[in-house]
Amino acid sequence: PAAEQLASIPPAPTAPESVQDGQSYGVAFGGTRVVIVARMESWLQVSDAEGNPIWSRVLRSGDRYLVPEQDGLVLSVGNAGGIDVFVDGSKAPSLGPVGVGRRGISLDPDRLRSGTALP
């Protein structure tokens, strides 16, 4: 009975069911609007508005990165199809197919949601 009750609790909007077993990186306190979730291994790098890298890591399946709420952040990814991007808990359009690298992706929540984040 207790397990059934736990199973019926929906996941938090920033943690889709498919990623509950992975590691979380990024924002430790406070909120975030953008969460990047790895479906398969993928290298990510986040840079600030001046182009300085602020975070870089290979995410494994189930890992997630909580993007800080900061203007001008840009994402580079080694396997665009290996990640899902969530904005305010809803899945954003794909950044590309599996195995394709992408650079210069805006991490602006509105552009991600509308599918206009790619350069």
Side-chain angles (χ1 to χ4, degrees):
E4 290 172 12
Q5 287 177 327
L6 286 176
S8 69
I9 297 172
T14 56
E17 287 180 52
S18 61
V19 298
Q20 292 179 350
D21 295 332
Q23 296 291 315
S24 288
Y25 304 97
V27 178
F29 301 101
T32 182
R33 295 187 60 200
V34 178
V35 178
I36 299 170
V37 179
R39 286 186 291 109
M40 56 186 66
E41 191 171 287
S42 187
W43 169 82
L44 302 180
Q45 179 173 294
V46 177
S47 300
D48 65 17
E50 288 77 44
N52 302 307
I54 62 169
W55 189 83
S56 183
R57 175 173 221 98
V58 172
L59 293 185
R60 311 239 183 272
S61 180
D63 289 352
R64 58 202 158 276
Y65 175 64
L66 286 64
V67 178
E69 289 194 35
Q70 180 179 330
D71 290 339
L73 294 181
V74 175
L75 173 68
S76 296
V77 58
N79 181 6
I83 62 170
D84 289 325
V85 178
F86 292 83
V87 178
D88 299 327
S90 297
K91 189 174 171 184
S94 172
L95 298 176
V98 170
V100 172
R102 296 266 195 244
R103 296 189 179 280
I105 302 164
S106 170
L107 286 174
D108 175 82
D110 296 326
R111 290 187 61 193
L112 287 165
R113 186 185 359 242
S114 68
T116 62
L118 293 171

